[in-house]
Amino acid sequence: MAPEDGGARPRPPPGAALPGAPADRGPALPVPPPPAPPRVPPMPPVRSPAGPNDPAQARFAALDHLTPVQCAGLGLASLPAWTAPPAFLRSEYAAANQVVFDAAASVADYSSVDGERALKMTLIFNSLLLRSTAHGGRRGAAALARRMQLFLDGDYSTLVSEWEREGAAKAAARQAHRAAPSSARRTRSGSAGGSVSKGRLVRRSKRLAARGRVGRAARILESIGVADDTDQRVIDQLREKHPVRAPGAPALPRVPDDCPRLEVDDSQLLEAYRRLEPEVAPGASVWRNEQLRALTQLPANPTDPRVRDVLKAHAAFATKFLNGDLPEWYYYVTTAARVIPLIKKPAATVVDVPDVRPVGIGCAWRRAVTKAAFTDAVKADAQRFLFPAQLGVCTRGGASQLIFGVRELLDARQDFCVVSLDFRNAFNEVDRHALMHAFLGDASGRVRQLARLFHCMLQQESPLYLGCAQAGLRQLPFASAQGVQQGSVEGMLGFAVALQEDLEWLDEQLRAHGGVARAGADDVVVVGPPAEVFRIIDDFTERVHRRLHLQVQPAKSSCYIHPDHANELEAHRGVYPLGCEPPASGSGEADAYGVTVWGVPLGSDSYVRRKLAAHAERVAGTSDTLVSLLGPDHKQLLWTITRVSTAHKFDYWLQHNRPEDTLEACRQLDRKLLQQATVALGCGPLDDDGLYGETSVVRQRVRLPVALGGLGLRSLEDVAPAAFWGAAYRAFPRLLDCHSAPGGAGARGSFEVPALRARIGDMRSQRCWGPLMGGSSAVGQALKEAWASMKATVGDEAVQDSALDQRAEEALTGNGLWDEKANMQHALTSVLEGASRDRLAATLSARPRMDPERDCWMALDSYASAWVTAPPCGATAMPQAEWREVAARYLGVPSPACRPHVGKPLGSTASRRAQHSRAIDAYGDALTCTQMQGDDWRQLHHNPMQQILVDQTRRYAGTRVEKEPWTLFAQALPPGVAARTALYHSHDNGDGTGAVRRRALVPDAVVRIREEETGAARDHLLEVKTVHRPPNGGQSHYYYNLHGHRGRGTAVGVDLRAADVPREYAAACKDLDDKYHNAQGGDGPFQRLLGEFPQVRALVFGVFGEASREVDIYLKDVARMGAAEWRLHLGARDDEHARGVLLQRMRQLVGVHAARASATLLLRRLQRVLGGDGGDQVDGAPLPGGAPLAAQAGDMDDGAAAAHGAGVLASSPPLGGVEGIPIV
């Protein structure tokens, strides 16, 4: 129960027994004295600030009275900042960066006053310029522009004074907040106690999904949460994870002068900055990834030399930083990290504290420049130094080699045992002194070049902070004094290099007995005869403890051997427990034994399958969490996470376990994924085997990839054989030494031992899997069976000329040589899915032409499927009712909104001809194709598509666009004839309400397009049309010559309608010439005017969201014209890359709007037919009032349509590689 005052539960004092603790626990333990505070290196002296008129005022002298810690914003006075500068201020921001970093890089003596000032400015200038403003929008941008100008004018005193005032105000407010009673504190979500609201989590997840970071969006929703960082017990756990440096410990060894230096140039930084991911949590510094990315989005030929040379200045300073040329105090503040106490295991009771895992986040600039220093050559040298003993660092495919190598060796030598060793807090406890000796003692020179970098990063005790810039940073009473820093780019490599000497010793000892020792980062796996293994492990344990201060934890380690040799293991394993997985309660089964190697279970079949079932249960649990959080109100976000994240959570185990072992887990997860997709799509029970069995069209389309007309929700059971083959193909040829590799060079294997040499052979030179599959290898037999099952699934005809068109023993690619870059899983999956698609196409082609599933399948294109991959935000977000209708249309299933009202007559809302002849059908076709009162066909379907095309053209191509130029052909009229009368005609729709005006010769838009070959600009006429599908096979373009899929070269309804448009324009011009100019078959003024333009471009959209071919051709022209202008904004490599990004984005926007417009037309018409019976809801879902494309039928004139289209564009998120979504 919560306390009566509503406040936080009182916590027991340190050392006191917790409430509910057993009474026999005894007296409370004495509280140990607090450890000594972390060592702080000597800081530069604080000087009195010089006045603006003081002759002593020099460059950056305004910072003399500030400490480096203050400049870095470490403390309660830390100020939140803009994520990135606005686009129109990027050049000014780049110029400020150049001023600061050029000054810092050009200093010769950093102990001088000028050196101290320059270094302080690198710490503070981002906060001076980009700290949050009191207002957003234009006023906030104007405030930033003022700061930029003050900085470039050299008025640093004004900037520093304002910064100090704001920081002092923030610090005072935070002190008052923390002094208030806990019951009075409110979080930003409005709840007491620090909980985060569901709405806030969902909003952040949507932002991440829009940036393409769907996996991270899912983890936020699935995570247990963050522990209360004000709880002393949580801080005590963090302290245990960060051991102090032993008193009297020697300083790190000095780096000799002849040690190689790292060099970073501007091209390396450009690539490193460009690849930084957005929406990453900041560290303790103000730097954000988006700020660094902004430096890559500058004009190609800037007039200001400071803008042109900004990355050169960054590179010059980064080179000094990475080589340890700066004072120790500078590394003290730049290596400061923010710690987040993630909950690892929830508390057992409300009074207990959860088990937490600290996650450290360092400075974004430090991470970026370190990544730039780790070039491909540096990583290749490190890989050669660590290979083959260490497979988890710098080795491509190292995880697969480790897993398959250990499994195969155990299968070959069943008298060998395997021991998985666990280190206690390995990364945080490895001795820094020994780590530096490992780098400096590298005689090969492969990692010695990194010694300077590690020395400068590890020489000081780096401070740790809780909190964030918004709430203020609180320094922890301990520091990162031992080990490598969590979250650092170089940390894992540093640990691996430190461990390498002992790991190689361990491997050498075991090789004398036919065994091996391999590591995946800090997970060490030992294989060999039990009589020798445990003796050698004891020596290894003593070595690493003496040299690296690492402790092996036997209780958390595990071992296994084949059951036939269990007695021998029992005689030698001592304190090392058997890896065990108990059976389900009440099953009556025995315990199963094995070990886990890098997350993959190895051992008895029962052990492997129970472990896999447990993994499947965890994935199913996260699915249930997502459905409960997102299912009712956020279906589009749930679908995005389902397709991109949940569907792939079991992939790692699919790749590294035999298909027969993963079968039950795959079936369980396939059912769970269908249940999650059913909730996410909301268009029907996709998981109902009675309604949609595995052989149904709907279920087959759900399984197909999006590019082949499906939803991309692959069956794990179907994918398992190809996934297993893909991982084996990557791993097995690398296990053994190859002395006759292509090109004549040898290659070293990761598991070169006699037992495997006889069992596998040299696959890279023999070009054959025969020895593996012809022997007693369980994996070899599993691969052979998986190959046979895939060939049987595909069929003999589809196998020809495919990746499966060979024997399993010869399963290679290309010219018969093993290709280490080949993706075997992709090749096999493509064959399987292509065969599935062909079977489905044959089934649907045989159906009658009025079949809804057939018509939907035949009409599909990239525009109709754009909604499947669209992010749930901005212009591609859909209201719930529209979302369900779009999904139903795509799959060819009955409309969720129309299903409860089938058979209800259309009534007085329809034209007189259709009032009694038509009723609502299950698919809503009668609603969308019937002539109804008003002009909602144009207002709800045509006008939104017209407007989105016009807006996309104006925004991206920057060319002249004139919408509905009714005066264009008016110039051909004789004097005295009114254009509005001549170019329009009235049409009686039969509803008794009067005529509706239709355009006879007024194009939807005139666009000036620059020809690609000649560069000449010509005006083009655009005409937007829509087509609909009648319910009973009536006259429609959908049924003209519709006997095949567009991919097979047969025209579909939209293309047939598009072919009519130029003829209609020619006929209309001829009629007007005959009527007004008595042309009598000759070329009159109207025909000559039409001839001045290229052929009319017919942009036609169908009821399924599909588009005519001309739509794609037109968007390619728009992307081509806008590529050069948008390249920098998109962060593209070149114009061709920018062109592709723009085209993808426009295809997605246009496709989503086409599907939405069709759904909106159906829903609004259904609402009108239902009248008072339907209210504002259809089938329990609210109608999409207020959203773009969802205007009330009959209430939307041309001006309103334009306003809605502009609203759609304004709500669109920024594009491309910098701030927009990636190519999906």
Side-chain angles (χ1 to χ4, degrees), residues 1114-1170:
Y1114 174 71
L1115 293 182
K1116 287 179 180 177
D1117 286 339
V1118 174
R1120 171 176 52 80
M1121 291 190 292
E1125 185 68 24
W1126 282 83
R1127 180 179 65 83
L1128 292 172
H1129 177 74
L1130 299 174
R1133 296 184 300 272
D1134 48 36
D1135 288 354
E1136 192 63 28
H1137 183 204
R1139 180 176 178 176
V1141 174
L1142 284 178
L1143 180 60
Q1144 181 272 338
R1145 179 60 176 161
M1146 287 189 292
R1147 280 173 174 167
Q1148 191 173 74
L1149 283 171
V1150 171
V1152 169
H1153 279 72
R1156 287 192 62 190
S1158 178
T1160 301
L1161 177 66
L1162 183 150
L1163 291 170
R1164 287 302 172 192
R1165 285 191 163 189
L1166 178 61
Q1167 186 184 34
R1168 293 174 61 190
V1169 171
L1170 297 179

Side-chain angles (χ1 to χ4, degrees), residues 851-861 863-865 867 886 888-892 925 941 1027 1029 1038 1101-1107 1151 1154-1155 1158:
D851 184 84
E853 290 180 331
R854 175 189 184 276
D855 290 352
C856 172
W857 172 259
M858 297 298 181
L860 289 181
D861 63 0
Y863 292 88
S865 60
W867 68 275
V886 168
R889 278 284 191 191
Y890 183 78
L891 291 174
D925 292 327
H941 201 176
V1027 294
R1029 176 183 179 275
Y1038 277 100
F1101 299 92
V1103 71
F1104 301 105
E1106 76 276 23
S1158 178

Side-chain angles (χ1 to χ4, degrees), residues 425-555:
N425 197 21
F427 290 101
N428 282 347
E429 293 193 8
V430 62
D431 185 72
R432 292 186 176 183
H433 196 271
L435 184 149
M436 280 306 307
H437 274 295
F439 278 95
L440 293 172
D442 171 30
S444 67
R446 290 169 178 166
V447 297
R448 195 166 185 264
Q449 59 188 325
L450 299 173
R452 294 179 183 273
L453 183 150
F454 277 91
H455 186 274
C456 65
M457 299 298 179
L458 302 179
Q459 63 181 328
Q460 63 285 319
E461 299 183 14
S462 303
L464 301 174
Y465 292 84
L466 291 172
C468 60
Q470 284 75 13
L473 296 170
R474 309 192 319 273
Q475 185 173 0
L476 287 165
F478 48 87
S480 176
Q482 275 288 60
V484 293
Q485 271 198 318
Q486 279 195 344
S488 63
V489 174
E490 73 281 356
M492 185 175 290
L493 175 59
F495 174 84
V497 170
L499 182 64
Q500 186 69 9
E501 178 183 332
D502 296 311
L503 190 59
E504 289 181 346
W505 176 89
L506 177 63
D507 184 51
E508 181 182 355
Q509 298 297 310
L510 289 163
R511 279 182 176 276
H513 306 282
V516 295
R518 294 292 180 265
D522 61 333
D523 295 332
V524 176
V525 181
V526 178
V527 182
E532 304 296 337
V533 160
F534 292 97
R535 176 185 60 79
I536 297 172
I537 286 178
D538 289 341
D539 293 341
F540 171 77
T541 300
E542 193 276 331
R543 279 178 62 101
V544 295
H545 180 64
R546 181 183 69 251
R547 200 175 69 86
L548 302 177
H549 295 173
L550 292 177
Q551 287 190 354
V552 173
Q553 301 184 101

Side-chain angles (χ1 to χ4, degrees), residues 215-254:
R216 187 154 176 253
R219 288 194 295 273
I220 288 175
L221 296 170
E222 298 163 2
S223 67
I224 305 175
V226 178
D228 182 5
D229 59 16
T230 63
D231 191 328
Q232 183 59 43
R233 294 172 295 174
V234 171
I235 295 177
D236 290 341
Q237 287 191 55
L238 299 180
R239 188 196 303 273
E240 292 175 4
K241 300 289 186 179
H242 294 88
V244 299
R245 190 173 293 183
L252 297 187
R254 191 183 67 84

Side-chain angles (χ1 to χ4, degrees), residues 24-105:
D24 59 351
R25 181 172 290 182
L29 297 175
V31 180
R39 187 185 73 86
V40 179
M43 292 289 176
V46 174
R47 302 177 179 86
S48 299
N53 299 320
D54 192 326
Q57 174 78 0
R59 195 181 202 188
F60 306 153
L63 306 178
D64 283 351
H65 64 293
L66 298 176
T67 67
V69 173
Q70 289 176 304
C71 292
L74 303 176
L76 286 179
S78 60
L79 295 171
W82 283 53
T83 302
F88 74 95
L89 289 176
R90 284 178 187 158
S91 292
E92 289 78 2
Y93 180 67
N97 268 267
Q98 197 277 338
V99 169
V100 172
F101 282 93
D102 184 65

Side-chain angles (χ1 to χ4, degrees), residues 1079-1103:
Q1080 299 301 325
D1083 286 346
F1086 284 96
Q1087 296 177 74
R1088 289 194 297 271
L1089 186 58
L1090 180 63
E1092 295 177 3
F1093 297 92
Q1095 180 173 289
V1096 178
R1097 308 186 77 158
L1099 313 178
V1100 185
F1101 299 92
V1103 71

